[in-house]
Amino acid sequence: MPFPTDFTWGVATSSYQIEGSPLADGAGLSNWHRFALEAGRVLNDDHGETACDHYRRSHDDVALIKELGVDAYRFSFNWARIQPNGKGVVNEKGLDFYRRLVDALLEHGIQPFATLHHWDLPAALEDAGGWLNRDTAHRFADFTEIMTRALDGQIQDWCTFNEPWVIMHEGHVNGAHPPGLMDLAHAPIVANNLLRAHAEGVRAYRANGCHRIGLVVNIEPKYAASDSLDDQAAQARAESYMNRLFIDPIITGEWPQPLVEAMGEDAWRDVLDESTAPLREPIDWLGVNYYSRSVVRHKDGGFLDTETLRQARAHTEMGWEVYPQGLTDTLVWLSERTQGLPLYVTENGAAFDDPPVIGGRVDDQARVDYLREHLHAAAQAIEMGVNLRGYFAWSLLDNFEWQFGYSKRFGLVHVDPATQQRTFKDSAHFLREICHANT
Ligand code: IFM
């Protein structure tokens, strides 16, 4: 596949999904650990007490990444390890864990891509109102300051948030993630606070750091089910809510109009009365997490008067349609919307019901096919002129898939939950070949 020779190849994870030992060495409680420990919140009452035991095995896992042959590793920090109460004094032992991880990556010639926040918020901050409280944005800026002062000498690529839309929607509208709230009226408040936190974080970074900082958004392109005006309008609402809400204010300073209209200006009053100028902090790159698309049509009484139609095509174990063309379309769409900002695919991958490990092998042909087709789609976007700089597969390891616990496996590397034994799946060998052939 014809990728540029300086293209970055990587794999991605996040703190709560793999680390385990969430309270070790003076760490505070995170909102996710607390939520997962509440009965009935996560499938099978799974939680991240052990996860992939990465906290105690990070050195071996870095060796695994080296063996995979990729150039870069995208990971996130558990904020409560660093600031147990979400503010104030720094827990040096927590910071040391990430210092050791970054040192090991650099020793192995692997470029660290650090995400400051991938959903695990200190529980103390959630108790103080979390993302419904404006003050959390200032706390995030302080945290950014601490991390970049400690590690910017070694980390060249930073990102503020992973998928802020998921924090807003799953946590405050749909209730499947902490704090488990269910009210669409939260959306403007939480989106505004997250975007303010992002912008304040970027400013704190610039005051301290000298490398690059970006944001990672999840994009699920929306296709109208028909040419009817109703379905086109439904598409615009769905796209505004999921795909434009965390991009437009940063790039153009505007809240997506179809969403404001759909919810009514009264629901947005406080946010609309504020200037968006502080949100337009320039970023160095944008990351996109792409998994699937959706086809939408108008439906009275549906969410924002829309409905998603299931397509007669292959779906992954998450119930997500396999649609590689959507990645090309997404990259072209983002490139136009951001006027050619450097882009990364920061996550792409699939959960499948893998066959067992037999003779040291996992034959996950479905995942190999998924990756191959999506890499072709990414290559096609590059040929069309998109400034795509890298691709990270989700995920390095089978891990804790949030409300689905350990039931969904996205790893290129199989993890035996009983022994923590790691085994390369065929998809890991496939990615290694692709990286090797293209670098
Ligand atoms: O596991 C998640 C990850 O934490 C964020 N992006 C989507 C992945 C698969 O659901």
Side-chain angles (χ1 to χ4, degrees):
M1 291 183 198
F3 286 94
T5 45
D6 60 352
F7 196 74
T8 299
W9 294 94
V11 283
T13 64
S14 87
S15 43
Y16 192 66
Q17 292 182 274
I18 66 162
E19 286 178 0
S21 309
L23 299 174
D25 296 328
L29 181 66
S30 76
N31 64 340
W32 251 104
H33 195 45
R34 178 168 68 184
F35 189 76
L37 292 179
E38 277 175 32
R41 292 295 199 179
V42 173
L43 193 67
N44 302 322
D45 286 340
D46 287 344
H47 50 68
E49 184 61 45
T50 304
C52 303
D53 202 20
H54 172 77
Y55 189 74
R56 300 189 310 150
R57 296 165 191 261
S58 61
H59 210 269
D60 294 346
D61 285 341
V62 171
L64 206 65
I65 300 168
K66 178 73 186 169
E67 210 182 318
L68 246 175
V70 293
D71 319 306
Y73 175 53
R74 177 173 174 256
F75 64 97
S76 72
F77 304 116
N78 171 2
W79 183 345
R81 285 199 198 285
I82 314 294
Q83 290 182 291
N85 292 315
K87 59 182 175 183
V89 69
V90 171
N91 174 30
E92 285 297 327
K93 282 189 172 174
L95 204 46
D96 281 346
F97 165 65
Y98 295 109
R99 285 195 181 106
R100 285 195 302 276
L101 173 65
V102 171
D103 284 347
L105 289 166
L106 295 175
E107 271 165 32
H108 284 82
I110 299 161
Q111 192 186 338
F113 266 64
T115 301
L116 285 152
H117 189 70
H118 193 130
W119 311 351
D120 41 359
L121 185 72
L125 289 185
E126 191 167 271
D127 291 341
W131 295 112
L132 286 163
N133 179 352
R134 289 180 78 85
D135 190 54
T136 306
H138 308 317
R139 302 287 71 78
F140 177 73
D142 294 346
F143 174 60
T144 303
E145 216 266 330
I146 292 166
M147 297 313 291
T148 56
R149 191 155 22 87
L151 290 166
D152 192 56
Q154 291 154 291
I155 300 177
Q156 303 209 340
D157 281 282
W158 294 81
C159 120
T160 52
F161 284 87
N162 178 74
E163 302 181 9
W165 181 86
V166 172
I167 299 173
M168 177 196 79
H169 180 75
E170 296 295 353
H172 301 81
V173 177
N174 190 37
H177 287 192
L181 303 176
M182 297 175 79
D183 190 345
L184 182 57
H186 292 140
I189 306 162
V190 173
N192 189 33
N193 287 338
L194 284 166
L195 283 162
R196 267 164 217 286
H198 159 77
E200 283 196 31
V202 173
R203 280 191 286 276
Y205 174 75
R206 300 259 187 245
N208 247 343
C210 54
H211 293 110
R212 296 178 290 267
I213 190 156
L215 170 70
V216 168
V217 290
N218 54 304
I219 300 287
E220 186 184 86
K222 308 290 180 187
Y223 300 84
S226 80
D227 290 341
S228 77
L229 289 179
D230 275 357
D231 288 351
Q232 300 285 327
Q235 186 279 344
R237 289 193 295 279
E239 179 179 85
S240 296
Y241 181 66
M242 189 164 180
N243 299 340
R244 289 174 50 189
L245 188 49
F246 290 92
I247 297 177
D248 288 14
I250 297 177
I251 304 292
T252 65
E254 282 168 14
W255 297 101
Q257 198 52 33
L259 177 63
V260 174
E261 275 169 24
M263 290 176 63
E265 292 211 349
D266 281 352
W268 281 78
R269 179 56 47 220
D270 290 349
V271 170
L272 291 176
D273 283 350
E274 257 186 73
S275 164
T276 53
L279 306 184
R280 297 189 66 181
E281 201 59 55
I283 49 177
D284 302 303
W285 55 269
L286 185 70
V288 54
N289 295 350
Y290 176 83
Y291 291 91
S292 186
R293 65 146 172 190
S294 66
V295 177
V296 292
R297 73 173 172 203
H298 178 92
K299 187 186 179 197
D300 285 334
F303 185 77
L304 295 171
D305 285 338
T306 68
E307 154 177 73
T308 297
L309 301 181
R310 189 176 165 93
Q311 303 299 297
R313 295 170 54 99
H315 287 68
T316 69
E317 278 293 293
M318 298 294 283
W320 298 342
E321 181 190 341
V322 178
Y323 191 70
Q325 178 63 40
L327 177 56
T328 313
D329 296 347
T330 293
L331 290 168
V332 170
W333 181 83
L334 274 177
S335 181
E336 285 166 0
R337 260 200 130 64
T338 62
Q339 289 110 39
L341 199 64
L343 301 178
Y344 288 85
V345 174
T346 32
E347 286 181 27
N348 177 238
F352 287 114
D353 190 9
D354 295 330
V357 182
I358 298 176
R361 179 175 172 210
V362 179
D363 173 4
D364 62 338
Q365 187 59 41
R367 187 172 292 103
V368 172
D369 293 343
Y370 182 99
L371 294 179
R372 182 190 295 109
E373 288 165 12
H374 285 79
L375 285 169
H376 275 298
Q380 198 189 338
I382 295 174
E383 274 171 27
M384 292 168 74
V386 171
N387 186 3
L388 182 65
R389 300 288 179 86
Y391 174 95
F392 290 77
W394 182 270
S395 176
L396 170 66
L397 303 168
D398 287 336
N399 60 43
F400 177 80
E401 178 55 27
W402 309 113
Q403 67 268 41
F404 304 103
Y406 298 98
S407 68
K408 303 282 182 266
R409 296 177 158 251
F410 277 88
L412 303 189
V413 176
H414 174 271
V415 178
D416 181 327
T419 62
Q420 290 294 336
Q421 169 86 33
R422 274 82 161 132
T423 306
F424 272 28
K425 301 180 190 175
D426 284 0
S427 54
H429 295 295
F430 169 74
L431 188 68
R432 184 165 55 188
E433 279 168 31
I434 296 280
C435 301
H436 185 69
N438 281 281
T439 45

